[in-house]
C-alpha cells in the first residue's frame, strides 16, 4: 500500500504541536505526514487525503471550507484540542459530520450522543493527547530547568507560577461582538455572553490582586506568569515591565512553566491545576469574589487543587503552609488520589501512551478506508465488465 498523505492543522502551536508531532512520529513510517497552521493549510500544494483538525465546531464562515474539502473526497478527522468540556454555560454544537471523531472521555460521548447517532459519526475514545507530556517518561522532552531559569533570570528562591485565564477585556467592542456572534452560533448556551465576560473580568482581577499580594508580602520568591494562549499579552507585558520582580513566560508550552514551579496558582476550572498535580507541583486554585465559577463550570471540575482559596486571608494561610513546607504527606497523597480519579474519568488514561493510541487508531482507520476503497473499485470493475 502506498503512503497516504496526512495533514495535521495546528490550532495553538505551543499547546497542540508537541502531541500532534508525536502522533505523526508514530505514523511517519507508513504515511506522509505534514503540519500546517490553520491560517495557511496549503491544501492545493500538499493535496492530502486525510485532514486532521482540532474542533468539531465550525461557524458559518468556516463551513464552506469544510464542505469544499469533503466535496474533494478528502477525509476529515477531528482530534479535539478541548475535549474536556468544563463550562456548563456554553456547550459546543456538532457543526458537521467528520469521517472520524476522537473524543476524550465517555462523558463527552454521552453529551453528544444524540448528534452522533443522528449523523452516524464514527467515534473513538482516546483521552487527551497532551497528557503524555506530563508523565515522568517525557520529563526531559522540553527545555532543561537550568536553561529556563537562566532565560528568566530566576534566583535560587522558590518559584511561584501563575497560569492566567483567557480574557476579552483588552479587545475592541467590535471584536467582542464578533466573538459573541460566534458563541451563540456554535454553542448551546444557558446564560448570557455578558455574564461570561464578567467572569473573565473577575478572574483577571483576582489573579492581579494575588500577584500584588505576593509582591508586597513575600520578598524571597520568584513570580512567573504565563498569559493564556488566546489572550492579548499586552496587559501582562506592561504589568511585568512595571515590576522588576515579575517574570513572564511567552511562546513556550505550559510544561516549561510547571517544570520550574515550586507552587502553582490558577483559577477554579483551569486545567493547569490538574496538569500541575500530575507533575507533582503543589497548587492553589482561586475563586472570584462573586463565586461566578459555580455558575460557569460543572462542579466536578472545581476544587481540584491541593488548596482552594476564596479570599486573601484564606490564600495566605494556604500559601504560608506551602512556602514553609508544612503540608503533610497524607495531604499530598489524598490530593493525588482525587486527581487520579478525575483523570481516569475526564482525561481517560495517564499512561504516556495516548499519542501512540491515537496513531494506532488513525492507522487502523486509514487501512480500513483503503480496503473499502479497493473493494468498491473491484466491484465497480466487475460490474462494468458484466
Amino acid at each position: 500500500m502506498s503512503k497516504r498523505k496526512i495533514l495535521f492543522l495546528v490550532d495553538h502551536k505551543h499547546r497542540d504541536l508537541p502531541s500532534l508531532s508525536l502522533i505523526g512520529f508514530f505514523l511517519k513510517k507508513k504515511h506522509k505526514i505534514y503540519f500546517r497552521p490553520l491560517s495557511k493549510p496549503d491544501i492545493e500544494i500538499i493535496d492530502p487525503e486525510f485532514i486532521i483538525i482540532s474542533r468539531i465546531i465550525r461557524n458559518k464562515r468556516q463551513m464552506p471550507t469544510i464542505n469544499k474539502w469533503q466535496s474533494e473526497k478528502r477525509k476529515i478527522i477531528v482530534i479535539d484540542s478541548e475535549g474536556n468540556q468544563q463550562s456548563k454555560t456554553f456547550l459546543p454544537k456538532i457543526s458537521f459530520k467528520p469521517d472520524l471523531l476522537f473524543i476524550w472521555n465517555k462523558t463527552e460521548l454521552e453529551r453528544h450522543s444524540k448528534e452522533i447517532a443522528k449523523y452516524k459519526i464514527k467515534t473513538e475514545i482516546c483521552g487527551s493527547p497532551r497528557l503524555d507530556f506530563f508523565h515522568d517518561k517525557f520529563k526531559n522532552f522540553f527545555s532543561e530547568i537550568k536553561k529556563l531559569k537562566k532565560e528568566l533570570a530566576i534566583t535560587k528562591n522558590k518559584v511561584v507560577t501563575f497560569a492566567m485565564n483567557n480574557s476579552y477585556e483588552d479587545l475592541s467592542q467590535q471584536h467582542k461582538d464578533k466573538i459573541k456572534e460566534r458563541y451563540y452560533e456554535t454553542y448551546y448556551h444557558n446564560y448570557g455572553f455578558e455574564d461570561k465576560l464578567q467572569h473573565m473580568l473577575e478572574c483577571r482581577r483576582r489573579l492581579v490582586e494575588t500577584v500584588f499580594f505576593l509582591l508586597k508580602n513575600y520578598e524571597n520568591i520568584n513570580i512567573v506568569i504565563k498569559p493564556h494562549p488566546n489572550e492579548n499579552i499586552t496587559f501582562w507585558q506592561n504589568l511585568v515591565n512595571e515590576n522588576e520582580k515579575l517574570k513572564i513566560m511567552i511562546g513556550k508550552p505550559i510544561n516549561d512553566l510547571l517544570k520550574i514551579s515550586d507552587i502553582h496558582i490558577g483559577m477554579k476550572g483551569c486545567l493547569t491545576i490538574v496538569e500541575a498535580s500530575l507533575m507533582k507541583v503543589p497548587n492553589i486554585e482561586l475563586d472570584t469574589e462573586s463565586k461566578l465559577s459555580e455558575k460557569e463550570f460543572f462542579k466536578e471540575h472545581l476544587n481540584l487543587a491541593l488548596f482552594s482559596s476564596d479570599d486573601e486571608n484564606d490564600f495566605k494561610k494556604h500559601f504560608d503552609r506551602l512556602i514553609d513546607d508544612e503540608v503533610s504527606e497524607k495531604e499530598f497523597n489524598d490530593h493525588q488520589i482525587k486527581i487520579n480519579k478525575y483523570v481516569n474519568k475526564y482525561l481517560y488514561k495517564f499512561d504516556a501512551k495516548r499519542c501512540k493510541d491515537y496513531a494506532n487508531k488513525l492507522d487502523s482507520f486509514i487501512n480500513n478506508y483503503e480496503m473499502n476503497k479497493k473493494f468498491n473499485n473491484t466491484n465497480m470493475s466487475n460490474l462494468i465488465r458484466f
Side-chain angles (χ1 to χ4, degrees):
M1 183 179 74
S2 61
K3 289 188 174 183
R4 319 318 303 174
K5 292 181 179 180
I6 305 174
L7 173 61
F8 289 82
L9 294 181
V10 182
D11 190 355
H12 290 294
K13 176 182 175 182
H14 301 292
R15 183 192 67 182
D16 302 325
L17 186 56
S19 56
L20 295 179
S21 296
L22 186 55
I23 295 170
F25 171 79
F26 290 126
L27 291 168
K28 69 176 186 178
K29 288 185 178 180
K30 294 183 179 180
H31 308 286
K32 294 180 181 179
I33 308 300
Y34 302 85
F35 299 93
R36 292 292 187 276
L38 280 171
S39 58
K40 191 180 179 183
D42 288 338
I43 300 296
E44 289 75 16
I45 298 173
I46 298 171
D47 191 25
E49 284 186 70
F50 301 89
I51 301 174
I52 297 176
I53 62 176
S54 61
R55 300 302 307 276
I56 192 63
I57 57 172
R58 286 292 181 267
N59 59 45
K60 60 186 177 184
R61 291 174 295 280
Q62 297 167 323
M63 278 309 301
T65 301
I66 296 293
N67 293 335
K68 181 176 183 294
W69 292 345
Q70 291 184 323
S71 70
E72 295 169 344
K73 307 301 181 185
R74 307 185 196 279
K75 299 300 177 184
I76 310 297
I77 299 168
V78 176
I79 294 181
D80 204 329
S81 60
E82 299 179 15
N84 184 26
Q85 182 63 30
Q86 298 154 289
S87 175
K88 61 183 178 182
T89 60
F90 286 86
L91 303 177
K93 300 176 183 179
I94 291 182
S95 306
F96 68 100
K97 179 184 178 180
D99 295 279
L100 176 61
L101 169 61
F102 283 99
I103 292 179
W104 284 21
N105 56 59
K106 291 181 180 179
T107 301
E108 291 301 310
L109 182 64
E110 292 171 2
R111 183 169 288 144
H112 295 294
S113 59
K114 290 184 179 179
E115 291 169 297
I116 288 171
K118 177 181 177 180
Y119 296 112
K120 298 180 180 179
I121 299 173
K122 179 177 175 57
T123 61
E124 293 280 3
I125 295 179
C126 272
S128 169
R130 299 196 295 272
L131 214 58
D132 288 356
F133 297 100
F134 299 96
H135 199 281
D136 283 344
K137 291 183 179 180
F138 287 88
K139 65 182 179 181
N140 296 322
F141 186 86
F142 295 96
S143 302
E144 295 181 358
I145 295 177
K146 287 184 179 180
K147 180 181 178 182
L148 290 168
K149 287 187 174 182
K150 185 177 180 180
E151 289 175 354
L152 294 167
I154 286 176
T155 67
K156 293 182 179 180
N157 295 321
K158 287 189 176 181
V159 179
V160 180
T161 59
F162 282 80
M164 301 310 182
N165 275 42
N166 190 18
S167 177
Y168 300 148
E169 191 174 350
D170 305 311
L171 302 179
S172 67
Q173 188 58 49
Q174 183 180 13
H175 196 168
K176 290 178 185 177
D177 290 340
K178 288 182 179 179
I179 294 174
K180 178 179 179 179
E181 180 184 356
R182 185 192 73 202
Y183 262 80
Y184 284 129
E185 179 187 346
T186 57
Y187 290 83
Y188 300 107
H189 50 88
N190 55 29
Y191 87 163
F193 183 74
E194 285 69 26
D195 291 319
K196 193 173 188 69
L197 292 180
Q198 181 63 28
H199 181 250
M200 288 180 169
L201 177 66
E202 291 189 18
C203 284
R204 174 179 282 190
R205 184 184 303 144
R206 182 72 202 278
L207 287 164
V208 172
E209 288 172 352
T210 305
V211 167
F212 278 104
F213 175 81
L214 292 176
L215 286 172
K216 180 181 177 181
N217 294 281
Y218 300 86
E219 292 185 2
N220 299 320
I221 60 172
N222 298 279
I223 302 177
V224 183
I225 62 177
K226 189 177 190 308
H228 191 278
N230 280 337
E231 71 175 329
N232 186 325
I233 67 169
T234 303
F235 173 85
W236 301 111
Q237 189 68 68
N238 290 339
L239 193 69
V240 169
N241 292 340
E242 295 168 3
N243 297 270
E244 60 181 21
K245 291 184 179 180
L246 278 181
K247 312 294 182 182
I248 187 169
M249 181 178 282
I250 301 171
K252 292 184 181 294
I254 189 66
N255 308 69
D256 280 353
L257 183 76
L258 297 176
K259 283 184 77 168
I260 63 171
S261 181
D262 294 298
I263 301 172
H264 181 66
I265 298 170
M267 295 301 300
K268 284 192 175 184
C270 181
L271 194 57
T272 66
I273 294 295
V274 176
E275 293 165 344
S277 302
L278 292 176
M279 293 180 68
K280 305 295 191 295
V281 179
N283 45 75
I284 302 174
E285 66 180 53
L286 309 174
D287 201 357
T288 60
E289 185 177 347
S290 62
K291 294 182 172 52
L292 277 175
S293 298
E294 295 175 4
K295 292 183 178 180
E296 172 73 15
F297 300 107
F298 293 107
K299 64 179 181 179
E300 53 265 37
H301 300 293
L302 301 175
N303 301 312
L304 293 174
L306 181 62
F307 296 116
S308 295
S309 166
D310 293 334
D311 55 47
E312 190 175 275
N313 292 332
D314 198 36
F315 173 80
K316 186 179 187 307
K317 177 183 68 176
H318 297 314
F319 187 82
D320 285 345
R321 291 189 65 204
L322 286 172
I323 205 73
D324 294 332
D325 298 317
E326 293 179 351
V327 181
S328 69
E329 184 177 352
K330 183 180 185 304
E331 286 175 288
F332 280 119
N333 290 339
D334 289 346
H335 175 245
Q336 204 59 48
I337 290 171
K338 178 168 68 173
I339 289 297
N340 291 341
K341 288 181 179 178
Y342 180 86
V343 168
N344 290 339
K345 183 172 182 179
Y346 295 104
L347 305 179
Y348 191 54
K349 291 180 182 179
F350 186 50
D351 58 0
K353 297 178 181 179
R354 292 303 84 224
C355 290
K356 178 67 173 176
D357 197 17
Y358 270 92
N360 288 340
K361 288 178 178 176
L362 276 169
D363 186 50
S364 177
F365 173 80
I366 292 169
N367 290 337
N368 288 336
Y369 166 74
E370 286 298 311
M371 289 177 62
N372 291 335
K373 188 176 178 181
K374 288 180 180 179
F375 177 78
N376 291 335
N377 288 342
T378 300
N379 284 350
M380 183 59 70
S381 298
N382 291 335
L383 182 61
I384 292 173
R385 285 200 297 269
F386 178 79

